[in-house]
Amino acid sequence: MDRKDQKKLDILRVLKEEGKALTSTQIVEILQSAGIRYSERAVRLYLQMLDEQGLTEAHGRKGRTLTREGIRELQQNEVVNRLGYLSAKIDLMTYRMTFDLPTCSGGVVVNTSVLPIPEFVKSISAICDVFRHGYGMGRLVSLLRPGEMFGDTEIPSGYLGFCTVCSITFNGVLLKHGIPVASRFSGLLELLDGKPVRFAELINYDATTIDPLEIFIRAGMTDNTGAVRNGNGLIGAAFRELPGESRQHVENITERLEKIGLGTFLKIGLPNQPILGIPVSEGRIGAIVVGGLNPIAILEESGRKLFHSGAISGLMDFHRLFPYDELGRRVNEIL
């Protein structure tokens, strides 16, 4: 990458990380605090160029903000540099999560998918089937209205946003109870007669910039349809490691999470013992949790293409979540 491209990306990165309009003076100060020294005149010239390319938007004296094209430009140029990005994002969201189990308040981590309203209405039954069979994360979901903004996702007119609880929520709750969680990988969990038997495919979190379940879903490799129909299929699941001595404490906490609809671990192993053939580190236990994107995967399997689907998309207030079997009524209220 030549110096000109590097300067452009440095400026775009500052605008993205700050998430608000910045003047050239503010951008220079932020870059300098990071040990990157550009003159204010150079930054002004680059901002003009970025405006012309449609990567930034001017807001008068308030400064510039990043456009959607600017976000895409950053993503396309930072893939190589983002190896390990997903693991870092999981750790960040675990730390940021504000949900408090004793008071059942605060923000939980969710996944967000965007679907055309007619397609979503046709899909409600299939989505509920996934939850009913225990292949969804807990029992709670939420909806985003047309025009609503959540994180980096804006819901277009004629579409609905569908949010499911992300399994990273477990990480945050357990951390707040003094139990560190190591997220190792996500994969496709094979079921026979409704029981997990092995991981058929897996991708380590630190080896990808995209959530592994998104990859498997887009590749058409899941089989939630078979799992719902007769208990034989491939569903998304994730593998965690926890301190061996925490097993009883973890079971007590996840039992409370299950009661309020946030779900529980599908399977918890024994200290120093493999779980479904996956070895664990010394002094640790393995745990398997179903993927929060499974209700969306079954729609892809039926040929219903999504406008957008993203794992670990943001924090949502717990009180915005509602039981999955209220989906039909809630959609009708919006319409």
Side-chain angles (χ1 to χ4, degrees):
M1 185 181 300
D2 62 31
R3 186 164 177 77
K4 181 186 292 186
D5 287 337
Q6 186 61 57
K7 286 184 178 180
K8 179 175 77 171
L9 292 176
D10 285 339
I11 294 170
L12 292 176
R13 193 176 296 112
V14 167
L15 290 171
K16 181 176 186 295
E17 290 175 353
E18 292 298 314
K20 62 181 180 181
L22 295 175
T23 64
S24 57
T25 301
Q26 291 171 320
I27 293 172
V28 168
E29 291 173 352
I30 294 170
L31 288 170
Q32 286 180 345
S33 68
I36 303 171
R37 299 195 176 278
Y38 297 152
S39 70
E40 188 170 340
R41 180 176 179 276
V43 170
R44 283 200 304 269
L45 291 173
Y46 273 96
L47 286 171
Q48 292 174 8
M49 178 185 70
L50 294 172
D51 287 345
E52 294 170 0
Q53 295 176 353
L55 304 180
T56 55
E57 182 179 358
H59 300 277
R61 293 183 178 180
K62 292 183 179 180
R64 263 87 165 184
T65 58
L66 201 60
T67 64
R68 292 183 184 277
E69 287 298 323
I71 293 173
R72 277 195 285 268
E73 179 77 8
L74 265 179
Q75 291 172 340
Q76 290 170 1
N77 282 278
E78 292 190 335
V79 171
V80 173
N81 294 328
R82 291 196 305 158
L83 285 178
Y85 163 80
L86 186 58
S87 291
K89 185 176 183 180
I90 289 172
D91 290 342
L92 178 63
M93 295 304 289
T94 298
Y95 175 76
R96 283 184 175 176
M97 202 198 74
T98 58
F99 178 73
D100 180 65
L101 182 55
T103 61
C104 291
S105 62
V108 300
V109 186
V110 298
N111 313 301
T112 301
S113 301
V114 182
L115 304 93
I117 292 176
E119 287 293 305
F120 188 78
V121 171
K122 295 176 186 176
S123 305
I124 291 175
S125 177
I127 289 171
C128 290
D129 280 343
V130 174
F131 281 105
R132 194 173 297 115
H133 284 80
Y135 305 142
M137 184 67 194
R139 303 185 301 277
L140 302 178
V141 298
S142 190
L143 293 171
L144 301 172
R145 296 170 176 268
E148 187 171 353
M149 192 80 182
F150 182 71
D152 293 334
T153 302
E154 182 177 1
I155 311 304
S157 176
Y159 290 76
L160 286 176
F162 176 54
C163 299
T164 59
V165 176
C166 178
S167 61
I168 303 304
T169 295
F170 277 14
N171 296 35
V173 172
L174 292 174
L175 181 62
K176 285 175 171 40
H177 285 79
I179 304 172
V181 181
S183 299
R184 287 185 52 190
F185 64 80
S186 283
L188 296 179
L189 184 64
E190 183 178 356
L191 301 177
L192 292 178
D193 296 325
K195 297 179 181 179
V197 292
R198 69 184 182 100
F199 275 96
E201 303 286 347
L202 60 87
I203 298 176
N204 289 329
Y205 286 120
D206 58 4
T208 176
T209 61
I210 303 174
D211 185 273
L213 296 188
E214 290 186 64
I215 297 173
F216 292 129
I217 291 170
R218 293 174 188 175
M221 296 172 67
T222 63
D223 185 16
N224 288 267
T225 305
V228 167
R229 184 177 59 245
N230 56 26
N232 301 322
L234 294 169
I235 66 170
F239 189 86
R240 308 280 194 261
E241 278 192 350
L242 308 99
E245 294 184 1
S246 69
R247 192 176 193 275
Q248 187 59 56
H249 194 187
V250 170
E251 289 181 339
N252 292 339
I253 293 171
T254 53
E255 183 179 343
R256 294 165 64 188
L257 290 172
E258 174 67 9
K259 285 180 180 179
I260 62 173
L262 288 179
T264 186
F265 282 117
L266 183 64
K267 193 176 183 64
I268 300 178
L270 296 172
N272 307 319
Q273 298 297 314
I275 178 170
L276 297 186
I278 305 295
V280 298
S281 306
E282 184 70 24
R284 312 279 285 177
I285 57 174
I288 298 170
V289 60
V290 296
L293 289 177
N294 286 337
I296 291 301
I298 201 169
L299 305 189
E300 288 276 4
E301 293 167 23
S302 64
R304 295 189 173 102
K305 295 300 179 183
L306 311 181
F307 175 77
H308 165 80
S309 182
I312 324 177
S313 57
L315 292 175
M316 175 171 283
D317 189 274
F318 176 74
H319 295 107
R320 285 200 61 175
L321 301 172
F322 56 84
Y324 71 86
D325 53 11
E326 294 182 12
L327 264 175
R329 179 174 67 81
R330 299 279 186 148
V331 170
N332 288 333
E333 288 176 357
I334 292 176
L335 301 182

